[in-house]
Amino acid sequence: STPVTARAVDDQGDRYRELVQKAQVRLSGVAKDKTQHTRVSACQAYAHPIQRELEETRLFLSKLSVDKPAPLIKSDVDENVADTLAKVEQMRHDFENQREQKKKADEAEKAEAVKKVEDAKQAEETKKAEATKKAAEEVKQAEEAEKAKQAEEAKQAIEQSKPIETPTTSEQAVLLAKRYRDMYSELMNDLAPKIRADPQKRAHCFKQRGLVTRGVGQLKDSWEFIGRTADSIKSILSASASADVQDWMLNLVAKSLVKQAEREVSVAPHAAYPLAATAVLVMQAYPKLSDMLMIRLVKKCPFVVPQYMAKQPGQNTDDFIKAAGYRRNDDGDIESEGIYAERMTGMLALFAAIVQMPDIGGQPNPFPVHHGWTWLARIINMPPRAISPLLVQTFLSVAGPTMLGVYGRQMDKLISVLATTWIASVAGSSPLAVAGKSNLTTFINEYRSSGSIRECKGR
């Protein structure tokens, strides 16, 4: 609806004045003695509808915003009409005052309600901020505690690795490890510079490395897929233009297989089998790959020898942790024993999966099961460390069924030695040692009950 304006109110006032003037004209011809009575009657007759209309106007105005009307111009309007108009003005004034007061009260009430909502919101935000801060402090404390724990574990591991009188590795194992480390030095110091110095060889190896990495990373537990991947790698190797390029590509194939084991097999031991099958298929065509694999494994995981690295006199900590296969995290701290153990078992599982692999396609495995027997005999004859039970259980889970089938009673006797004397000789109360001994004991008890070694899933 359209608000009543000041102009509309003025027009209404003109109408009232016109009505009064007409009444006066009608009364001018009346006798003087009847004038008073007639005037009163006329005024009443005209005032009644005017008053009714004014009341309706007041009611209408109460529902609308109105502009303040212009002040009435005094005229010869009868006193009764003037009084009525004055009352209307007073009513309007009172209405405006009441409306203004109500508006102020409503605004004050609304402001109070808004303030209460804002106060409640602020209180909730403060509460959430305090809770977030507390949670962040708890997380920080937990991280600091975990970091301190990892540092202590690493320190204990290094302390444990100090030279001791009892041999930690057999003489043959030491010689074997030295041979593979010397071969790695030759790769890096002699072959790598030749490849880098020749742009064509460097570009070829870089391109082919990407194909090898992608193929190994996409391996699936399917003989058809394994066969295609092995054929692809052999095709890449056969495309090498020279012997040094082929040797470097064999090194890259071995590196890719070991890296995949370190990353994937540590959390899924059965993933070692497709990697091992691919390695054996390629080794059948390129026997030199077996040495390249051992070079890469010994570099990252000395336990495949097996060898417990001992910190030598004058050797700094960084050199030792690198030789032992430790890594530093993003903060520069040495990784925890738990993470270290996971990576080591992933690479050992690849070694175990290779030695247990049967002949494929009528061709023998170039790295057969007797390497597994040598490994197991060596580690049992070495003073165990906290990680040793986990290493033995990993090896037995992956290669144990095949070794039991090949060595029979000899294998049974070896497992008996583990159960009766070797596990008890594992010292230390670290979580790694305690869990390793418990899990290996359970594993051996299951073998004694069933007469067979539980196969790793996916074998």
Side-chain angles (χ1 to χ4, degrees):
S1 58
T2 305
V4 178
T5 63
R7 177 62 183 171
V9 175
D10 290 342
D11 291 344
Q12 192 75 357
D14 292 341
R15 183 169 174 265
Y16 297 154
R17 284 192 290 275
E18 183 181 351
L19 291 173
V20 172
Q21 289 171 1
K22 287 180 180 181
Q24 288 177 343
V25 170
R26 292 178 61 185
L27 291 174
S28 62
V30 183
K32 291 182 179 180
D33 56 347
K34 294 183 180 180
T35 298
Q36 185 67 24
H37 177 74
T38 302
R39 178 178 293 175
V40 171
S41 297
C43 285
Q44 288 178 346
Y46 280 104
H48 182 70
I50 292 171
Q51 187 173 6
R52 186 174 64 252
E53 187 170 353
L54 287 175
E55 182 64 25
E56 292 175 354
T57 302
R58 183 193 69 79
L59 182 61
F60 180 71
L61 288 173
S62 67
K63 300 178 181 179
L64 301 171
S65 299
V66 299
D67 295 332
K68 184 175 180 180
L72 295 175
I73 302 174
K74 291 185 178 182
S75 65
D76 296 332
V77 181
D78 186 85
E79 288 294 331
N80 288 335
V81 175
D83 288 344
T84 301
L85 294 176
K87 289 179 180 179
V88 171
E89 174 64 18
Q90 184 62 42
M91 290 171 63
R92 187 200 65 77
H93 181 71
D94 293 343
F95 170 74
E96 289 290 339
N97 287 341
Q98 291 175 4
R99 189 176 69 169
E100 187 66 25
Q101 291 174 2
K102 186 175 184 304
K103 181 179 178 182
K104 291 181 178 179
D106 290 345
E107 289 177 350
E109 184 178 354
K110 183 178 179 181
E112 181 65 23
V114 171
K115 185 175 183 301
K116 287 182 179 179
V117 172
E118 290 179 349
D119 290 346
K121 183 178 179 181
Q122 182 64 33
E124 183 66 21
E125 290 177 352
T126 301
K127 184 178 179 181
K128 287 182 179 179
E130 291 176 351
T132 301
K133 182 180 179 181
K134 183 179 179 182
E137 290 176 351
E138 291 176 351
V139 170
K140 184 179 179 181
Q141 291 175 358
E143 289 177 348
E144 290 176 350
E146 180 64 22
K147 189 179 292 187
K149 179 182 176 182
Q150 293 178 5
E152 182 61 27
E153 288 177 350
K155 181 180 178 182
Q156 290 177 0
I158 294 173
E159 287 294 325
Q160 190 182 34
S161 300
K162 288 181 177 179
I164 53 179
E165 293 182 0
T166 305
T168 58
T169 308
S170 69
E171 183 178 352
Q172 294 85 351
V174 171
L175 293 175
L176 180 67
K178 183 178 184 305
R179 172 175 172 257
Y180 286 126
R181 291 191 178 102
D182 289 344
M183 291 175 70
Y184 177 77
S185 296
E186 290 178 9
L187 276 174
M188 296 298 106
N189 298 330
D190 298 336
L191 184 56
K194 292 179 182 179
I195 300 299
R196 286 195 295 265
D198 189 317
Q200 289 185 343
K201 292 180 179 180
R202 185 174 67 247
H204 172 81
C205 292
F206 180 81
K207 179 182 177 181
Q208 302 298 70
R209 181 183 65 179
L211 297 176
V212 170
T213 302
R214 183 161 57 251
V216 171
Q218 296 175 350
L219 264 176
K220 296 180 181 179
D221 191 8
S222 159
W223 275 110
E224 181 181 357
F225 203 94
I226 292 168
R228 288 204 306 268
T229 302
D231 288 342
S232 175
I233 293 174
K234 286 187 285 186
S235 176
I236 290 171
L237 293 171
S238 66
S240 301
S242 60
D244 55 353
V245 170
Q246 187 174 96
D247 286 347
W248 188 251
M249 287 306 306
L250 284 167
N251 161 62
L252 294 179
V253 171
K255 182 178 180 180
S256 182
L257 290 166
V258 172
K259 188 174 182 180
Q260 187 70 14
E262 181 183 15
R263 181 172 53 242
E264 183 180 3
V265 180
S266 61
V267 294
H270 64 276
Y273 294 112
L275 292 172
T278 302
V280 170
L281 284 170
V282 177
M283 278 191 286
Q284 288 175 342
Y286 297 92
K288 193 179 287 188
L289 179 61
S290 61
D291 278 342
M292 293 296 184
L293 274 169
M294 287 303 296
I295 290 170
R296 286 292 175 178
L297 284 170
V298 171
K299 174 182 178 290
K300 283 197 166 190
C301 177
F303 300 114
V304 299
V305 174
Q307 183 179 29
Y308 299 134
M309 299 302 293
K311 188 177 180 183
Q312 302 301 318
Q315 185 181 31
N316 62 45
T317 300
D318 285 340
D319 289 341
F320 166 72
I321 64 174
K322 185 176 180 181
Y326 282 94
R327 283 181 175 176
R328 291 190 181 274
N329 56 32
D330 294 338
D331 295 330
D333 298 322
I334 301 173
E335 65 185 338
S336 69
E337 282 296 287
I339 295 175
Y340 173 73
E342 283 184 1
R343 292 194 305 104
M344 296 299 108
T345 54
M347 289 179 281
L348 179 64
L350 174 61
F351 171 82
I354 290 174
V355 300
Q356 66 85 49
M357 192 65 60
D359 297 345
I360 303 176
Q363 297 187 54
N365 179 354
F367 203 80
V369 70
H370 70 79
H371 291 284
W373 179 263
T374 300
W375 184 90
L376 198 53
R378 282 175 178 170
I379 199 167
I380 288 177
N381 286 303
M382 292 162 53
R385 300 283 179 88
I387 196 175
S388 301
L390 178 59
L391 296 174
V392 171
Q393 183 186 349
T394 298
F395 184 87
L396 291 177
S397 297
V398 176
T402 295
M403 293 186 65
L404 184 62
V406 173
Y407 295 102
R409 286 181 57 81
Q410 288 177 289
M411 185 68 178
D412 183 74
K413 290 179 181 179
L414 193 147
I415 292 175
S416 294
V417 172
L418 287 173
T420 55
T421 59
W422 189 83
I423 293 177
S425 67
V426 178
S429 58
S430 68
L432 182 62
V434 173
K437 289 191 290 185
S438 175
N439 293 335
L440 180 57
T441 299
T442 301
F443 183 89
I444 292 175
N445 288 339
E446 289 180 0
Y447 160 71
R448 286 178 162 179
S449 299
S450 65
S452 61
I453 294 178
R454 171 166 43 92
E455 291 187 351
C456 178
K457 177 183 176 183
R459 181 176 180 268

